[in-house]
Amino acid sequence: MADQRTAQTPTPAEDPYEAAARAAAEDPERYWLEAAAAIDWVKAPTRALDDTRAPIYRWFPDGELNVCYNALDRHVAAGRGDDAALVYDSPVTGTQRTYTYAELTDLTARFARALADRGVAKGDRVIIYMPMIPEAVITMLACARLGAIHSVVFGGFSAKELAVRIDDTAPRAVVSASCGIERTRVIEYKPLLDRAIELAEAKPEFSVVVQRPQAPAQLRAGFDLDFAELMAATPEGAPCTTVRSTDELYVLYTSGTTGKPKGIVRDSGGYATALAWSMPHLFGLRPGDTMFTASDVGWVVGHSYIVYGPLLAGVTTVLFEGKPIGTPDASTFFRVIADHGANVFFAAPTAMRVIRKEDPDGEFMKSHDLSSIRAWFMAGERLDPGTYEWTTQKLKEATGRDIPVIDNWWQTETGWPIATNPIGLRTFPLKPGSPTKPVPGYAIEVLDAAGEPVPAGTEGLVVVRLPLPPGTMATVWGDDERYVSSYLSAFDGYYLSGDGGMVDEDGYVYVMGRTDDVINVSGHRLSTGTMEAALASHPAVAECAVIGVEDPTTGQVPRALVVLGGGQAAESDAQALRDELVARVREQVGPVAALKRIDFVPALPKTRSGKILRKTMRELADGRADVVVPSTIEDPAVLDGLREVLASTTGERPAN
Ligand code: COA
Ligand code: AMP
């Protein structure tokens, strides 16, 4: 008689998640070489991992390919040219347009040719500063086609931040648009671009500008080219340039703990392999399905799951130019899902929190047809249990089905999820507050400050044992040393994520927040150091600290404590000075910094070695009951004097 227990309980070998996790851990060479077969290589790799420069690892060292070919041409070659590749849905302009794989290939190839005709070649950098319009995707893919390295800069950053990135990458060209359209206003990009080029020492040779009717730009003869005119004058496309797997596909800047952003370098073959693997295994998506990721191409989520992931997998991607609310209202995401039959939706938890505020009963979900949706992904910040419960419940009320609401944890650095509920392999029972399990290929551990593993269920520093899987950062642009010192040298053999958290007895991962001075505002990753540098540039400021304080809607909000050079300002002058400082941060960092609250204080609490106690201040501002004041504090009276000021912002916290 058959053993009932054996028949009903899958053994680990039969469980696709366990099997994948074990295979990727025990024989990464074989596992990822097999995964690489999902990509069309010009020269197929014979090896997966190159560890000759450990701790800097490289993937598929002898492979050669073109990523644009894999995202576009090969689907056309396979007879899918008439299938939808990209659906542009723009409530801010009232536009909906579908591009087939054949059309997107043609446009991309022609724009690549236009760039190549003006000297852009393999290895050159191209900065992209654009709103969420099809030309942004076309430009990214055109660069990939030529083997040029793109670097997309989020539109909410200032001219100064753009200039920093121009100087770091020294691009041959910049591609932009005349304007972006935000919830409340049209933002002219061209003056910001001109100012950035003026500020930067590295001068691009030319720019290409998409002229938009909402605010056409003045083009400078001999430097600025009109995107549409270029396309009209370029009937022939450029072929795909073969690159090495290890050649750079893009550089994407992310906020670090210092004022200088880090240029995260992504390779070609490892990234293509990882994304192609992730689409069916983590997102449950296959050719012909539709993915709607409501992020921005300026962020890593946009790179991986608006552009490259879906297109590499032959999935239709929705490019959405709008916001969760105000374009025109909190129904917009659900309307887009219904209009385009999206099977998977992906956004930041902040988006659900702002929708919930406007539509607490989820009426907009109920009034749209969400029958196509299979899973609802959230990332960019921790999915707090309150938002998780609300979203799950309202989706159930709207659809009558249990749609998994999936938190997935990752970073610009990793390029794809580190921990998630891998629905294409196996759907684990959800635990609110946890992004579930490590993705196969990532060996997550939690260490204490001395580098010792902590017991299950204890919080510590979340690290990943090296090597990281394919698709993760190759290095910091032009600075291997910074890669090693920022990420790889804290604990020998580990990648330091910069996040704190724990792993419980069942192997579920919990990520609670940054352990450094990076903050997360509305799903945007920002550096407090950059904001401090902007404040400190004001002559009245002697010293300052910016901390991220919990906020029920945006996750965190920045808040500044400023010591004035000439002593405390009179209250009448203080407001004017505050306004000046807020304007300065907006001007130097960008509107996205959203610093609104500034307190003038007599002194900042420090350790005896002079380090400002930002973490302690943050905990006090968050109203935590368990704040431990470091024994190394120089003068406890300074901190005591700030307790009231800090507590005065303690508001409602996200539900835990
Ligand atoms: N270009 C130019 N300016 C931009 C911009 C862009 N791409 N994105 C944001 N800004 C500006 C906004 O207009 C705003 O300016 P204002 O202060 O003059 O109003 C400022 O930057 C702050 O923007 P934001 O924090 O986005 O606030 P908001 O009130 O406009 O919108 C949300 C709030 C929650 C709707 C929005 O932050 C959001 O959709 N967040 C989710 C983010 C996300 O998807 N992240 C990706 C991770 S997956
Ligand atoms: P970014 O590089 O902009 O994607 O930001 C990465 C950081 O955002 C991480 O280091 C985390 O601090 C945070 N983050 C992203 N996703 C999650 C998540 N699912 N849970 C908790 N924190 C997250």
Side-chain angles (χ1 to χ4, degrees), residues 4 14 82 105 125 136 163 181 231 241 248 263 386 454 479 567 599 656:
Q4 281 295 315
E14 291 168 321
D82 292 336
T105 306
R125 277 78 59 205
I181 303 156
M231 290 296 275
T241 302
E248 302 91 339
V454 301
D479 199 345
D599 287 291
N656 272 304

Side-chain angles (χ1 to χ4, degrees), residues 297-311:
V297 290
W299 304 115
V300 69
V301 173
H303 280 66
S304 295
Y305 295 111
I306 295 176
V307 183
Y308 288 108
L311 297 177

Side-chain angles (χ1 to χ4, degrees), residues 140-320:
M140 292 166 77
L141 293 166
C143 290
R145 193 170 193 86
L146 299 175
I149 303 162
H150 62 69
S151 186
V152 185
V153 179
F154 178 62
F157 283 120
S158 65
K160 181 165 176 281
E161 287 293 307
L162 178 56
V164 168
R165 288 152 174 81
I166 291 176
D167 272 338
D168 203 48
T169 44
R172 188 179 288 274
V174 181
V175 183
S176 188
S178 59
C179 67
I181 303 156
E182 282 298 297
R183 284 197 300 149
T184 51
R185 64 204 166 100
V186 171
I187 296 174
E188 290 188 39
Y189 275 39
K190 188 61 178 25
L192 297 170
L193 178 66
D194 290 347
R195 175 81 185 125
I197 293 173
E198 199 180 297
L199 289 171
E201 277 173 28
K203 303 291 180 195
E205 288 169 19
F206 67 95
S207 93
V208 183
V209 179
V210 177
Q211 289 282 29
R212 307 190 80 191
Q214 294 78 9
Q218 195 80 40
L219 301 188
R220 285 177 291 167
F223 185 79
D224 297 320
L225 304 164
D226 180 311
F227 191 102
E229 283 175 15
L230 266 190
M231 290 296 275
T234 315
E236 290 289 314
C240 295
T241 302
T242 300
V243 301
R244 283 173 307 191
S245 169
T246 51
D247 282 339
E248 302 91 339
L249 176 66
Y250 65 77
V251 180
L252 179 59
Y253 286 85
T254 192
S255 301
T257 48
T258 66
K260 190 172 181 255
K262 294 186 192 113
I264 302 302
V265 174
R266 195 81 60 207
D267 73 356
S268 299
Y271 187 55
T273 300
L275 292 186
W277 184 93
S278 74
M279 289 298 290
H281 294 110
L282 304 185
F283 295 95
L285 286 167
R286 307 204 177 267
D289 285 339
T290 298
M291 182 172 205
F292 170 22
T293 301
S295 178
D296 189 287
V297 290
W299 304 115
V300 69
V301 173
H303 280 66
S304 295
Y305 295 111
I306 295 176
V307 183
Y308 288 108
L311 297 177
L312 283 165
V315 163
T316 304
T317 186
V318 177
L319 182 77
F320 171 71

